[in-house]
């Protein structure tokens, strides 16, 4: 599979005019990502932006006691550039791979140059940020209003929407600690994960 086809599996990259995508190609590195890999940790230098092509990334808040709560997910529909769009140099969140696969990696410096030199890229990034920021309050509301089983069903559907495969490559190890309420550990036993979706 050619590099352009691999990278074009990301819907943001696919939405760019072909001349812009061609211009970005030298800045994009195709990488493989493992389950539970931390792409970027909270309070670390925001050195790269990731465009998932076949992974799903959890955007998680990290608390002083080490606990985490998922705030959003990013798959092939988006990228991890929310903070970089606004010029941030430090990440305030952890980016954790939930479903393994591949992504395109771009340096923050190259991303910033592209934002400045390509109006269509800049417009697309701003539109994506708006869509992403609309997802976050919905996730917060769902976490507060719904039972654990209902939140699990929603999370599984979101994972399916953001992946390429009908068989989700997820484990019970990571997901519950990401979307369980802070201070309320998941009480679901593995046998109770039989949620129809």
């Amino acid at each position: 599979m050619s590099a352009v086809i691999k990278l074009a599996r990301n819907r943001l990259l696919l939405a760019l005019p072909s001349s812009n995508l061609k211009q970005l190609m030298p800045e994009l590195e195709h990488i493989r990502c493992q389950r539970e890999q931390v792409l970027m940790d909270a309070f670390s230098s925001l050195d790269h932006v990731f465009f998932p092509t076949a992974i799903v990334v959890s955007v998680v808040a990290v608390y002083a006691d080490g606990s985490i709560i998922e705030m959003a997910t990013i798959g092939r529909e988006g990228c991890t550039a929310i903070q970089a769009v606004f010029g941030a140099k430090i990440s305030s969140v952890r980016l954790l791979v939930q479903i393994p696969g591949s992504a395109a990696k771009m340096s923050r410096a190259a991303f910033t140059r592209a934002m400045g030199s390509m109006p269509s890229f800049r417009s697309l990034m701003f539109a994506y940020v708006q869509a992403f920021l609309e997802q976050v309050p919905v996730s917060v509301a769902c976490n507060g209003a719904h039972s654990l089983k209902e939140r699990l069903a929603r999370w599984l559907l979101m994972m399916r929407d953001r992946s390429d495969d009908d068989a989700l490559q997820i484990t019970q190890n990571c997901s519950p600690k990401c979307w369980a309420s802070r201070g309320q550990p998941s009480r679901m036993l593995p046998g109770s994960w039989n949620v129809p979706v």
Side-chain angles (χ1 to χ4, degrees):
M1 190 182 302
S2 77
V4 173
I5 292 171
K6 284 181 183 177
L7 297 177
R9 291 171 71 186
N10 178 278
R11 291 181 181 158
L12 282 181
L13 296 176
L14 187 60
L16 286 170
S18 59
S19 60
N20 284 164
L21 182 57
K22 188 174 181 179
Q23 197 175 340
L24 285 179
M25 286 300 294
E27 305 293 348
L28 296 167
E29 177 188 353
H30 188 257
I31 62 167
R32 298 290 304 166
C33 303
Q34 303 302 313
R35 177 180 293 109
E36 297 188 36
Q37 178 180 346
V38 175
L39 296 177
M40 188 172 307
D41 215 345
F43 313 111
S44 67
S45 180
L46 202 164
D47 295 330
H48 297 96
V49 170
F50 299 89
F51 293 84
T53 54
I55 63 171
V56 179
V57 176
S58 286
V59 180
V60 298
V62 181
Y63 293 91
D65 65 1
S67 63
I68 61 173
I69 294 180
E70 182 180 82
M71 298 183 295
T73 58
I74 301 169
R76 62 186 177 179
E77 84 293 341
C79 69
T80 66
I82 304 306
Q83 298 172 91
V85 164
F86 298 109
K89 295 180 180 175
I90 302 294
S91 177
S92 62
V93 297
R94 178 178 293 166
L95 301 175
L96 181 68
V97 176
Q98 287 281 10
I99 296 180
S102 59
K105 178 172 128 177
M106 173 187 244
S107 73
R108 181 179 47 82
F111 179 84
T112 302
R113 285 193 302 273
M115 287 281 291
S117 66
M118 289 188 254
S120 58
F121 183 75
R122 183 173 54 250
S123 296
L124 184 64
M125 290 301 107
F126 284 141
Y128 175 67
V129 166
Q130 180 179 355
F132 181 87
L133 292 177
E134 298 212 2
Q135 175 190 330
V136 173
V138 170
S139 291
V140 170
C142 286
N143 285 343
H146 300 297
S147 72
L148 191 55
K149 266 192 176 178
E150 290 167 327
R151 293 193 322 252
L152 172 61
R154 178 179 179 272
W155 188 84
L156 289 170
L157 287 170
M158 286 180 10
M159 290 297 109
R160 174 58 187 96
D161 284 348
R162 286 162 173 74
S163 68
D164 280 332
D165 202 344
D166 286 334
L168 295 177
Q169 296 182 45
I170 58 175
T171 67
Q172 295 174 10
N173 185 32
C174 183
S175 51
K177 61 186 173 190
C178 284
W179 46 258
S181 299
R182 186 162 190 252
Q184 297 177 353
S186 171
R187 287 184 173 72
M188 291 182 82
L189 298 173
S192 65
W193 280 54
N194 299 322
V195 179
V197 290

